[in-house]
Amino acid sequence: MTVYQLHSQAPEVARIQTRLKELGLYSGPIDADFGGGTEAAVKAFQRANGLAPDGRVGPLTWDALFGGAVIEAPALTRQTLAYRCLALTGSFETGTAPPDCFAGLAGDFDGQGLSFGVLQWNLGQGSLQPLLVEIDRTSPALTRRIFDAHYPEFEAMLGVDRDDQLLWARSVQDAATSQLLEPWRGMLKTLGRTPEFQAVELKYAQQRFQTATTLCRTYDVWSERAVALMFDITVQNGSINAVVQAQIQRDCAALDRALPRDEREVARLKAIANRRAEAATPRWVEDVRARKLAIATGVGSVHGREYDLAAQYGIRLQPQDG
């Protein structure tokens, strides 16, 4: 059952916020992020309409808000599995949900000049330039519209060598905070939210998605959750080394063979999650563990946000091609 509640992030949440604002119950931003202000407004609406004031927008509250309409599942859940995995990992990486996770933006805090996109491609390593060149080549009307009077500067930046690109990046951000300055911050964020640039990001993440599906075969796991876990490992941790692989295989071999298929899958995913976390840098072990177990079990709290993979991302304990 679809439910929007505290920590939900989706375009549908923006619809809820807009409706509550029209009713005079919400005065916060229309940011598609179900925070405390949205929750309080929902409770006020529920009390005024004879509904249990739990602050959650399920079928009954949605019906009351939108005049008998059937509640909408997040549009994200109807995307391809590759897109959903990318969006989930991007939400962990940036702390935001689609479309904002595709517009993640950071300055020169790490010496890379500028990092952008759902997987934080950057100028310093040369990983961001191909995406920007491609979107400018395939959607020139889009880039010209977004960058407007600054388009000639954007185009010129793409044509100079990497050292000059880094100098440019540092010239459009605050040196003390590494925060991008306006209008560049807003223009790049706008670009990242477009379906056209998201398609480019998905293309450049495809190799990691293929690696994730190969890892699923290596560890004999079959579900959408398994692909999401392996994809997240390739992004956050890079790989699984031979020692960790042997530990995982030993853990999985010890599992009760009488376990039902779904329970066995979850047990294998938890073994992978725990072993990969324990191989991380000591200070990050528990952070990695929480993130990986949230995927393995389908629910969990990561960086203070509650995740329900099936409800929010359409990532389920079902076959990858299901």
Side-chain angles (χ1 to χ4, degrees):
M1 181 181 71
T2 299
V3 176
Y4 298 99
Q5 57 190 318
L6 193 64
H7 301 303
S8 293
Q9 292 179 305
E12 292 76 15
V13 173
R15 282 195 62 195
I16 293 168
Q17 292 171 327
T18 298
R19 180 61 180 142
L20 291 168
K21 182 162 284 193
E22 291 170 351
L23 296 171
L25 297 172
Y26 178 68
S27 58
I30 307 299
D31 59 4
D33 189 343
F34 202 122
T38 305
E39 182 181 54
V42 169
K43 288 181 178 180
F45 174 82
Q46 290 169 327
R47 291 189 187 97
N49 287 271
L51 299 167
D54 60 4
R56 303 163 76 240
V57 179
L60 292 178
T61 300
W62 185 281
D63 174 281
L65 273 170
F66 297 107
V70 176
I71 192 168
E72 298 178 5
L76 171 60
T77 63
R78 299 187 289 277
Q79 294 279 3
T80 65
L81 179 58
Y83 183 98
R84 285 177 277 144
C85 290
L86 185 58
L88 176 63
T89 288
S91 73
F92 292 149
E93 291 287 306
T94 67
T96 60
D100 275 8
C101 69
F102 287 89
L105 184 63
D108 194 41
F109 74 97
D110 55 358
Q112 302 305 321
L114 187 154
S115 301
F116 182 49
V118 68
L119 298 186
Q120 293 291 276
W121 293 277
N122 63 73
L123 293 179
Q125 296 175 333
S127 57
L128 175 58
Q129 291 89 327
L131 283 76
L132 297 178
V133 168
E134 179 150 341
I135 191 64
D136 193 41
R137 178 180 59 82
T138 58
S139 302
L142 176 71
T143 52
R144 287 178 182 275
R145 175 176 59 80
I146 290 174
F147 293 104
D148 195 34
H150 297 271
Y151 177 77
E153 183 178 343
F154 171 74
E155 185 180 38
M157 180 274 296
L158 294 178
V160 298
D161 65 30
R162 194 177 303 177
D163 286 343
D164 283 338
Q165 289 172 337
L166 288 171
L167 287 173
W168 169 82
R170 290 162 184 151
S171 77
V172 297
Q173 57 189 277
D174 184 297
T177 64
S178 297
Q179 292 291 312
L180 267 288
L181 302 173
E182 296 295 356
W184 288 100
R185 178 177 178 80
M187 292 187 296
L188 287 167
K189 285 281 191 182
T190 298
L191 179 65
R193 295 184 184 109
T194 64
E196 294 88 346
F197 192 70
Q198 289 173 29
V200 173
E201 294 186 71
L202 186 60
K203 173 183 174 180
Y204 280 83
Q206 196 61 38
Q207 183 56 55
R208 287 180 174 176
F209 184 76
Q210 292 303 322
T211 299
T213 60
T214 298
L215 284 172
C216 286
R217 292 191 291 272
T218 299
Y219 292 94
D220 193 25
V221 286
W222 47 263
S223 63
E224 291 183 342
R225 268 194 228 163
V227 180
L229 176 60
M230 296 307 189
F231 182 82
D232 197 66
I233 286 171
T234 67
V235 172
Q236 186 186 34
N237 313 108
S239 64
I240 299 174
N241 67 38
V243 173
V244 177
Q245 179 175 339
Q247 293 171 333
I248 292 169
Q249 289 171 336
R250 185 178 69 241
D251 292 345
C252 290
L255 294 174
D256 185 350
R257 294 185 178 277
L259 283 174
R261 182 177 184 236
D262 286 3
E263 290 183 29
R264 187 173 183 81
E265 173 79 353
V266 173
R268 293 180 77 90
L269 295 181
K270 288 171 69 175
I272 295 167
N274 279 310
R275 287 298 186 180
R276 189 58 192 85
E278 288 158 7
T281 301
R283 65 177 294 200
W284 299 117
V285 167
E286 294 311 316
D287 181 81
V288 174
R289 192 193 308 277
R291 175 165 161 171
K292 298 299 183 279
L293 285 176
I295 304 174
T297 62
V299 294
S301 178
V302 181
H303 301 146
R305 288 195 171 277
E306 299 299 323
Y307 285 85
D308 181 326
L309 271 63
Q312 297 168 350
Y313 293 86
I315 295 174
R316 299 179 173 85
L317 197 66
Q318 66 182 30
Q320 299 166 28
D321 57 354

